[in-house]
Amino acid sequence: MFLTKQEEKILDGELGPIKAKAMRILATLGDIFDADKLIPIDSVQVSGVSYKTIGDAGLSFLEDWSHAKVVVETRMNPAGMDLINWKEMGISEDFANKQLRIIDALTSMGIQKSCTCTPYHAGLIPAKGSHIAWSESSAVVFANSILGAMTNREGGPSALSAALIGKTPNYGMHLERNRVGEILFEVDFDLTDFDFSLLGYYIGKYAQNKIPIISGIKKANQIQLKSLGAGAAASGGIPLFMIKNITPEFRIIEKPERIHVDHEELISIQEDLTNCDRPNIISFGCPHCSLEEIEEIIQKNKTNKEIWICTTKQAKEKIKAVPSNIKIFSDTCMVVAPVEKLGIECLATDSTKSAHYSQTLSQIKTILKPREELLNDIKG
Ligand code: F3S
């Protein structure tokens, strides 16, 4: 990959050893993916924030890097706990101390302590056509497909390096020629809110690294599209989908392969992601709930089961009256928090992504059901 003279100087250490390492990571990535050059970015979202996912090795890496400063607006992905109310979650002192050290290291680099996978619910809405370097998979697919921004699915170190340099290698989703729908999923039934999450998961499973096109969706709100993208990113790593009149740059190949989506197959995903029936906890907020979603959950809450809602700090601060069975946590989620150590054995959720990772990453059992059902008639 071509480097400008200034970039070469950074690589040679002109701005210190950490920025040299960051430039080395970007240059290596660029060479691997055949990028022609580095391009400037408007914002970064850094993952690898939870102590659960990065452990002691990640903590010491971040502390080593903590003296370098980011040069573009950079936000954090969820951490392993609510940064204020972590005791209420049952988090241990040891975990909390290490988690707070990670946050301190990132904060001292100039990264905002936003800790959310929905930065677009928290004031960071990249412009259509802008280049960004985001890393959380559902945020990436939302930014590409709904906002029309351009980002690859960055890893923790590559996002951090991009934030320190203000640039990212020009490959993948940064190139218009790769942002083209290739495999068509035909939907001929009306989708409920819950179906969007199931459909996303189904598409992720069958798209096989191709950019999916979805037909038959005439109208969808941002919450439904957020669920669709999260499901697709969980089962298949989809960075972008195309829906006519929704995806800003709807572009498809001439004769895409076609897959007819059968509602029965969506139901079978629900069955596959359900392997217990008596939940310790109902959780919402994967991806993080918007303020409107929380208000609706509170309004429709008819269960006395304990409900945990994960959201942004901004939304949490605005909710004043909360029913006694509901707890609202910010900065974290039920996948990157150490839920397996909190006595949770069976988690009920309306999110395919949450169910998928709760089973695979946290090794806990799950119930996958529509939000309305969970709020109404959960078995006690
Ligand atoms: Fe967000 Fe955690 Fe789900 S980061 S998309 S709430 S797994």
Side-chain angles (χ1 to χ4, degrees):
M1 181 177 69
F2 169 78
L3 293 182
T4 63
K5 289 224 157 49
Q6 184 52 34
E7 289 161 0
E8 273 179 1
K9 283 185 188 165
I10 297 174
L11 191 61
D12 290 341
E14 189 177 87
L15 298 182
I18 301 302
K19 294 233 174 179
K21 283 184 192 169
M23 185 58 91
R24 170 68 57 209
I25 288 174
L26 297 180
T28 305
L29 260 182
D31 287 341
I32 292 170
F33 290 104
D34 220 9
D36 56 345
K37 59 182 177 182
L38 291 174
I39 48 170
I41 43 173
D42 288 352
S43 66
V44 175
Q45 191 233 9
V46 172
S47 64
V49 175
S50 166
Y51 177 67
K52 168 176 167 173
T53 57
I54 66 170
D56 289 325
L59 168 59
S60 100
F61 170 87
L62 291 175
E63 287 186 333
D64 281 351
W65 280 45
S66 63
H67 302 295
K69 298 278 179 243
V70 300
V71 294
V72 289
E73 174 160 10
T74 305
R75 306 276 183 107
M76 293 180 208
N77 204 39
M81 62 188 201
D82 186 302
L83 299 181
I84 307 288
N85 299 326
W86 53 269
K87 283 192 180 144
E88 214 182 316
M89 293 177 71
I91 300 287
S92 71
E93 296 270 347
D94 182 53
F95 186 98
N97 289 338
K98 289 182 168 160
Q99 182 61 72
L100 292 172
R101 279 171 57 193
I102 290 172
I103 300 295
D104 284 349
L106 292 168
T107 308
S108 69
M109 297 170 88
I111 302 177
Q112 294 180 41
K113 221 180 344 180
S114 54
C115 295
T116 181
C117 53
T118 58
Y120 47 88
H121 286 328
L124 181 59
I125 304 176
K128 180 172 170 257
S130 62
H131 293 278
I132 58 176
W134 286 16
S135 52
E136 196 284 317
S137 64
S138 78
V140 165
V141 69
F142 193 92
N144 280 319
S145 317
I146 311 306
L147 304 175
M150 302 166 95
T151 179
N152 287 319
R153 184 170 161 173
E154 301 292 342
S158 69
L160 200 54
S161 300
L164 292 171
I165 303 295
K167 293 180 181 175
T168 194
N170 190 29
Y171 72 94
M173 288 297 105
H174 293 287
L175 300 172
E176 249 181 41
R177 65 170 184 267
N178 295 329
R179 300 172 65 89
V180 182
E182 301 163 294
I183 178 166
L184 174 62
F185 291 86
E186 297 172 309
V187 179
D188 59 8
F189 50 90
D190 289 337
L191 294 166
T192 63
D193 290 350
F194 182 56
D195 284 340
F196 277 88
S197 184
L198 296 173
L199 176 65
Y201 198 84
Y202 176 87
I203 287 170
K205 241 171 127 181
Y206 294 106
Q208 298 164 343
N209 296 328
K210 294 187 180 131
I211 303 292
I213 311 150
I214 310 162
S215 70
I217 299 180
K218 291 183 191 65
K219 234 173 77 189
N221 62 38
Q222 290 216 338
I223 307 304
Q224 293 166 331
L225 296 167
K226 176 175 78 168
S227 301
L228 176 76
S235 59
I238 301 290
L240 165 70
F241 58 73
M242 297 281 170
I243 305 178
K244 204 168 188 175
N245 299 325
I246 288 177
T247 306
E249 47 177 332
F250 185 79
R251 210 181 293 121
I252 63 175
I253 59 169
E254 233 173 66
K255 282 192 182 147
E257 179 191 341
R258 305 168 97 92
I259 295 183
H260 179 261
V261 181
D262 184 342
H263 193 255
E264 287 305 307
E265 291 181 77
L266 299 193
I267 299 303
S268 73
I269 289 173
Q270 182 184 358
E271 289 163 1
D272 289 349
L273 290 173
T274 298
N275 59 359
C276 59
D277 61 359
R278 294 176 74 84
N280 306 97
I281 254 176
I282 301 171
S283 91
F284 299 119
C286 176
H288 275 177
C289 281
S290 66
L291 177 61
E292 297 69 31
E293 287 177 274
I294 302 174
E295 287 169 341
E296 202 182 345
I297 290 167
I298 290 176
Q299 196 203 336
K300 293 186 173 163
N301 167 43
K302 292 203 178 71
T303 178
N304 44 28
K305 272 267 159 204
E306 187 163 345
I307 296 176
W308 286 16
I309 300 175
C310 294
T311 186
T312 61
K313 275 189 229 318
Q314 289 85 344
K316 183 174 137 188
E317 277 162 13
K318 290 199 175 106
I319 299 286
K320 298 295 174 219
V322 184
S324 58
N325 65 318
I326 296 184
K327 288 183 178 154
I328 301 181
F329 295 112
S330 62
D331 319 311
T332 189
C333 81
M334 299 303 278
V335 168
V336 297
V339 285
E340 64 283 5
K341 296 192 176 134
L342 305 181
I344 297 172
E345 288 169 0
C346 174
L347 177 92
T349 174
D350 60 345
S351 159
T352 48
K353 179 170 181 181
S354 180
H356 173 95
Y357 284 113
S358 294
Q359 289 194 18
T360 55
L361 184 71
S362 307
Q363 316 287 320
I364 59 172
K365 296 188 171 171
T366 57
I367 296 172
L368 180 64
K369 276 191 179 182
R371 190 170 289 184
E372 303 265 336
E373 276 183 44
L374 292 172
L375 288 169
N376 271 307
D377 79 310
I378 195 86
K379 275 193 241 165

